Amino acid sequence: MQTLDLRHQMVKATLLILFVVVLFATIFVPLVVKQNDYFTYMGLFNSALYGVMYAVVSRTKPARWHALLVCVGCFTTLVPLVVISGGVNSQFVVLFPMIPIPLALMSNSKVSWWISAFMIVLIFSLLLLKDALPDLTNEVVSLQKSRSRAIWVSFAIIISATFVMYFDRINRLLRHRLIQQAFEDDLTTIANRRSIMQILQSKLAAAHTQPIAVLMIDVDYFKQFNDKYGHLLGDECLKAVAQSIKRSIRQGVDDVGRYGGEEFLVILDNVAADNALNIAEKIRANIALLRIAGPDGSAITVTVTIGLCCVTVPKRKSAQTILQQADQALYQGKLTGRNRVEIYNEGPVLN
């Protein structure tokens, strides 16, 4: 969705730039260069078209067809100008190599390549039809020069499309890294607190009547573990626990994230209370089987305590309430011995 919003802004910016530039050229060029009035009329029409397109895009939600609208608009305004002003010898044909750049930013490099191929075919078609096309500029250009210009404009389009292909690839890679930094925990490579909270909010909003279970997981005596073995081994412990939880849940259905410190949050989607308890017990048992290599070569075991909150009607509870209830169950589990799964109930929690 964020990518679509960004491209929507690119579409709006492109249309606004086109509107301003075309309108300025339509007004300014006749003041310094004598030209056929037909170009002025077309300039006014093109300015109005871009203005209307900008208004339409500004008043609608981000959509993938917006980039197609810009592409169609560009060819609707540019091709007739090229056709009546000398074809491949037209001064407007130099704009063709610029089209792949904003198109790739608004859509992707694949679409940019397809449009580039279309433009190259169009250029050589204009070359073949050179004698049959009207030329309101009345310029006489040799066939040799027309061929040369067609070849060089085609090369310019290929270079432009190649450039934006690599730019788009690098841009996607950087955007992916930024998303990872924003939503992925650096240490454990699972979702961070911000990401897992967004997932919980979205699942609560979409669930309606489907049951959801939330597991609050805390590594037992982790402070003592850090004090005894050091923070580096403590980090290795958290990595191992995170990966064990990830392997224990249903792939593609449930979600796990690091809630903070040695606490993890698991969201079980569309699961009954008994199945949620089974998954929680599986997580606890698998972590208890972990063996972390100590500095002296010894095998260190760790355990976790899990607070489980099952919600049968998610829309009746907020994310904050569910987390508080899971945390209360976790606290109760610590009071009653740790290394266990405790289910939240409505009774009071002992202090």
Side-chain angles (χ1 to χ4, degrees):
M1 186 62 186
Q2 291 178 344
T3 301
L4 203 57
D5 288 337
L6 180 61
R7 287 176 175 169
H8 184 247
Q9 295 301 321
M10 282 297 307
V11 169
K12 288 173 60 179
T14 301
L15 287 173
L16 183 60
I17 292 171
L18 286 171
F19 170 74
V20 173
V21 170
V22 172
L23 183 60
F24 174 79
T26 302
I27 296 173
F28 178 75
V29 171
L31 299 178
V32 295
V33 177
K34 186 177 181 180
Q35 64 177 9
N36 193 297
D37 291 340
Y38 188 78
F39 292 107
T40 302
Y41 298 145
M42 288 195 69
L44 292 173
F45 170 79
N46 295 341
S47 300
L49 180 62
Y50 287 130
V52 171
M53 290 168 61
Y54 177 78
V56 169
V57 171
S58 298
R59 285 172 169 76
T60 55
K61 293 181 179 180
R64 299 187 184 278
W65 59 266
H66 287 165
L68 179 61
L69 178 66
V70 176
C71 185
V72 172
C74 286
F75 283 109
T76 300
T77 58
L78 186 57
V79 172
L81 285 171
V82 171
V83 169
I84 66 172
S85 59
V88 295
N89 298 303
S90 170
Q91 64 269 36
F92 298 105
V93 82
V94 298
L95 298 176
F96 278 10
M98 298 175 61
I99 293 178
I101 299 176
L103 188 59
L105 296 175
M106 292 183 294
S107 184
N108 55 60
S109 57
K110 184 178 180 180
V111 173
S112 181
W113 269 108
W114 278 108
I115 297 301
S116 297
F118 170 77
M119 287 190 295
I120 292 173
V121 172
L122 177 62
I123 287 170
F124 282 96
S125 298
L126 292 173
L127 179 63
L128 293 174
L129 298 173
K130 179 178 180 297
D131 296 332
L133 298 177
D135 185 0
L136 300 184
T137 62
N138 297 317
E139 294 182 5
V140 179
V141 182
S142 67
L143 180 59
Q144 185 67 25
K145 189 173 182 179
S146 298
R147 290 173 178 172
S148 177
R149 181 166 295 185
I151 292 172
W152 283 111
V153 171
S154 298
F155 274 133
I157 293 173
I158 293 172
I159 292 171
S160 177
T162 304
F163 167 77
V164 296
M165 178 187 70
Y166 284 105
F167 176 84
D168 185 57
R169 184 178 299 174
I170 295 171
N171 186 43
R172 286 173 181 270
L173 178 62
L174 292 176
R175 193 161 58 234
H176 177 69
R177 289 179 179 176
L178 286 174
I179 291 173
Q180 282 186 321
Q181 291 176 359
F183 297 100
E184 185 179 279
D185 181 61
D186 290 336
L187 178 64
T188 60
T189 68
I190 60 174
N192 60 16
R193 179 168 180 158
R194 174 185 177 184
S195 179
I196 196 66
M197 288 299 296
Q198 288 185 356
I199 293 172
L200 177 59
Q201 293 279 7
S202 63
K203 288 201 170 184
L204 286 175
H208 299 296
T209 58
Q210 293 181 352
I212 285 180
V214 173
L215 281 61
M216 186 78 76
I217 304 172
D218 185 81
V219 180
D220 295 331
Y221 305 109
F222 187 69
K223 184 179 184 303
Q224 291 89 324
F225 186 101
N226 269 338
D227 293 341
K228 183 176 181 179
Y229 299 108
H231 290 281
L232 291 179
L233 198 60
D235 288 347
E236 293 302 317
C237 173
L238 292 178
K239 290 179 185 178
V241 169
Q243 295 306 311
S244 179
I245 296 173
K246 191 174 180 179
R247 291 191 299 268
S248 301
I249 60 179
R250 299 170 298 176
Q251 303 303 309
V253 179
D254 305 324
D255 297 278
V256 57
R258 187 181 179 190
Y259 191 66
E262 68 273 20
E263 285 189 331
F264 298 89
L265 195 68
V266 173
I267 304 170
L268 305 178
D269 194 21
N270 193 18
V271 62
D274 53 346
N275 290 334
L277 179 59
N278 290 336
I279 295 174
E281 284 289 355
K282 179 181 178 182
I283 292 172
R284 184 202 63 79
N286 287 344
I287 293 174
L289 293 175
L290 290 176
R291 297 296 181 266
I292 300 171
D296 57 354
S298 61
I300 306 170
T301 59
V302 292
T303 60
V304 295
T305 303
I306 303 177
L308 170 61
C309 175
C310 299
V311 186
T312 55
V313 186
K315 65 180 180 180
R316 293 182 181 177
K317 288 188 178 181
S318 66
Q320 193 63 33
T321 299
I322 295 171
L323 291 175
Q324 288 176 352
Q325 292 175 350
D327 190 55
Q328 288 179 20
L330 173 63
Y331 180 67
Q332 185 66 25
K334 290 181 179 181
L335 289 179
T336 52
R338 300 179 190 259
N339 189 23
R340 56 183 285 114
V341 177
E342 188 74 25
I343 303 178
Y344 171 80
N345 58 68
E346 298 293 341
V349 177
L350 299 177
N351 293 315

